[in-house]
Amino acid sequence: MTPTTETMVGIGGAAESTDMVLNIGPQHPSTHGVLRLRLVLDGERIQHAEPVIGYMHRGAEKLFEARDYRQIIMLANRHDWLSAFSNELGVVLAVERMLGMEVPERAVWMRTLLAELNRVLNHLMFLGSYPLELGGITPIFYAFTEREELQHVMEEISGGRMHYMFNRVGGLKEDLPAGWTSRARASVAALRSRLGVYDDLVLGNEIFRGRTRGVGALAPETVHAYGVSGPIARASGVDFDLRRDEPYLAYGELQDTLKVVTRQEGDCLARFECLLEQTHNSLDLADACLDRLAELPPGPINQRLPKVLKAPEGHTYAWTENPLGINGYYLVSKGEKTPYRLKLRSASFNNIQALTELLPGTLVADMVAILGSLFFVVGDIDK
């Protein structure tokens, strides 16, 4: 067997006995942010893949230790910029658990509603951007149109379009504006009526199916080994969803509406199908929350807090089913007004590590299809 050497190549080819090392990024537009992939190629086939992370790291976990329990919500808000409300939620649930605090019922149902609307906003971005990465430009225009429908609703209630800052320890910032639930219900209905466009434009497109079916199959064993979660894990047949398996907020009362979407194939197409079907279910959950809110009598939306909020000494772990997967916060308190330690377990960090198993053996032409189907946000990786 001819001995091989490894050569860094910029432009052009290499000798037959030489492997090419190719850097994708860290500015490549297909990577959802500043991610670098170091690929070792044998011709057109990937032999080895290494995700190189850290280009966006902002030290949020360390900054948590220098902010009080009201201020850390702003820091947690931003790591997955498409799931801001859900990010906030994990922090306040951890602090409330440390305080032994009971949240008013209206706040519980409102949080559940807004978490599902935020899930739809997250999924719509990927439902539009993934076909774009494969050369289909039209779906992204539909996705942004539908996102605007919900963004208006979220902006009206919170004042923010991306970073809502609407959660508070003990509940929510304030009560609903007059007539807001009617407008939210109309937006959900309008969005549901137009979601079929993805079945026609994307899933019904033979080129899209040809680029994704059987490509980048992720085995359940790899899912467990790397801690992959969310729609990506469920597309590989791993039937796990915290909303059903360890209910929080009002999900315990929504089990009849909640549907955990799974597939067995584990390929790029299965991951897209899971995302789309889960979007339909989130709209159903939002309707169920709106129905329940209509039945609740007027009441408080939050708890009164002391001027200086201190969590008792101890530790706790709060995890939630974020749009991209499991999001967890490990909170350690020494009884001060700031956390002693707040460790973040983000979904994208684990999910992206599976690339080391997914990419080897595949063609370079399929790399973007596989990468895009992992539905990650780089800020969620680097934290």
Side-chain angles (χ1 to χ4, degrees):
M1 182 177 176
T2 307
T4 61
T5 57
E6 190 177 280
T7 306
M8 294 294 290
V9 178
I11 300 174
E16 288 183 6
S17 61
T18 304
D19 293 333
M20 179 192 294
V21 178
L22 182 67
N23 282 294
I24 305 295
Q27 299 293 350
H28 199 279
S30 73
T31 56
H32 299 212
V34 193
L35 175 72
R36 174 184 165 208
L37 287 179
R38 185 178 181 274
L39 307 178
V40 178
L41 307 180
D42 180 12
E44 286 293 307
R45 203 163 289 279
I46 298 170
Q47 286 188 324
H48 177 76
E50 177 191 0
V52 183
I53 65 174
Y55 293 95
M56 287 187 69
H57 181 59
R58 54 191 185 89
E61 292 178 334
K62 195 64 184 174
L63 291 172
F64 285 145
E65 301 169 15
R67 306 290 191 276
D68 67 33
Y69 287 107
R70 292 179 175 89
Q71 295 168 327
I72 60 174
I73 298 172
M74 179 275 294
L75 291 170
N77 189 288
R78 285 161 165 74
H79 57 87
D80 173 3
W81 48 76
L82 296 176
S83 310
F85 186 87
S86 303
N87 299 341
E88 302 169 11
L89 193 56
V91 171
V92 296
L93 289 175
V95 178
E96 287 162 4
R97 186 174 296 176
M98 289 287 285
L99 292 167
M101 181 179 288
E102 196 75 29
V103 176
E105 189 178 11
R106 280 177 59 79
V108 171
W109 282 96
M110 269 303 304
R111 281 177 172 179
T112 310
L113 168 62
L114 294 173
E116 290 306 315
L117 293 180
N118 193 197
R119 192 182 309 277
V120 173
L121 283 170
N122 175 290
H123 290 355
L124 280 172
M125 177 61 78
F126 290 109
L127 290 172
S129 67
Y130 185 48
L132 179 65
E133 289 158 11
L134 299 181
I137 193 171
T138 308
I140 192 73
F141 296 115
Y142 285 97
F144 270 92
T145 301
E146 313 312 338
R147 274 174 57 84
E148 280 301 308
E149 189 85 44
L150 283 186
Q151 287 283 29
H152 289 318
V153 170
M154 298 292 278
E155 186 176 7
E156 181 185 0
I157 195 174
S158 67
R161 286 181 59 82
M162 290 284 282
H163 306 298
Y164 305 111
M165 280 300 295
F166 199 58
N167 274 293
R168 295 291 186 271
V169 176
L172 295 170
K173 177 186 173 186
E174 57 199 6
D175 209 341
L176 309 176
W180 182 87
T181 52
S182 300
R183 291 186 286 278
R185 194 183 292 277
S187 295
V188 168
L191 180 51
R192 181 186 285 107
S193 69
R194 296 197 292 261
L195 267 186
V197 73
Y198 297 98
D199 288 309
D200 301 332
L201 267 181
V202 185
L203 291 180
N205 186 296
E206 61 184 47
I207 299 174
F208 178 83
R209 298 184 77 86
R211 290 291 307 276
T212 56
R213 187 194 283 116
V215 175
L218 183 63
E221 298 77 24
T222 307
V223 169
H224 293 303
Y226 283 86
V228 175
S229 59
I232 300 166
R234 292 192 284 273
S236 295
V238 178
D239 189 6
F240 181 72
D241 190 315
L242 285 174
R243 296 173 298 169
R244 179 198 63 195
D245 301 322
E246 195 175 309
Y248 57 99
L249 295 182
Y251 289 115
E253 299 181 47
L254 291 169
Q255 296 302 304
D256 292 339
T257 308
L258 176 63
K259 179 185 177 185
V260 178
V261 182
T262 60
R263 293 288 187 277
Q264 299 302 318
E265 297 83 0
D267 57 10
C268 296
L269 181 60
R271 291 191 276 273
F272 186 87
E273 287 176 344
C274 274
L275 208 68
L276 179 55
E277 197 170 333
Q278 190 167 288
T279 305
H280 282 280
N281 186 238
S282 289
L283 293 175
D284 294 338
L285 289 167
D287 269 339
C289 291
L290 286 165
D291 290 341
R292 186 73 177 94
L293 281 168
E295 299 169 0
L296 291 177
I301 202 79
N302 49 36
Q303 295 276 24
R304 291 181 64 87
L305 299 177
K307 189 169 289 186
V308 178
L309 181 64
K310 294 182 179 181
E313 190 169 346
H315 60 92
T316 190
Y317 181 69
W319 58 348
T320 56
E321 188 68 41
N322 260 36
L324 298 181
I326 293 174
N327 189 67
Y329 292 99
Y330 178 60
L331 171 63
V332 181
S333 171
K334 295 290 187 181
E336 302 296 329
K337 65 178 182 179
T338 61
Y340 177 75
R341 184 79 174 93
L342 188 55
K343 174 71 174 70
L344 168 60
R345 188 265 190 228
S346 61
S348 297
F349 180 83
N350 287 70
N351 293 354
I352 205 67
Q353 307 308 318
L355 283 171
T356 57
E357 300 279 348
L358 269 178
L359 288 178
T362 63
L363 295 171
V364 177
D366 290 330
M367 184 270 299
V368 171
I370 296 170
L371 189 63
S373 73
L374 291 188
F375 309 129
F376 60 89
V377 170
V378 176
D380 203 39
I381 300 169
D382 289 345
K383 296 176 278 187

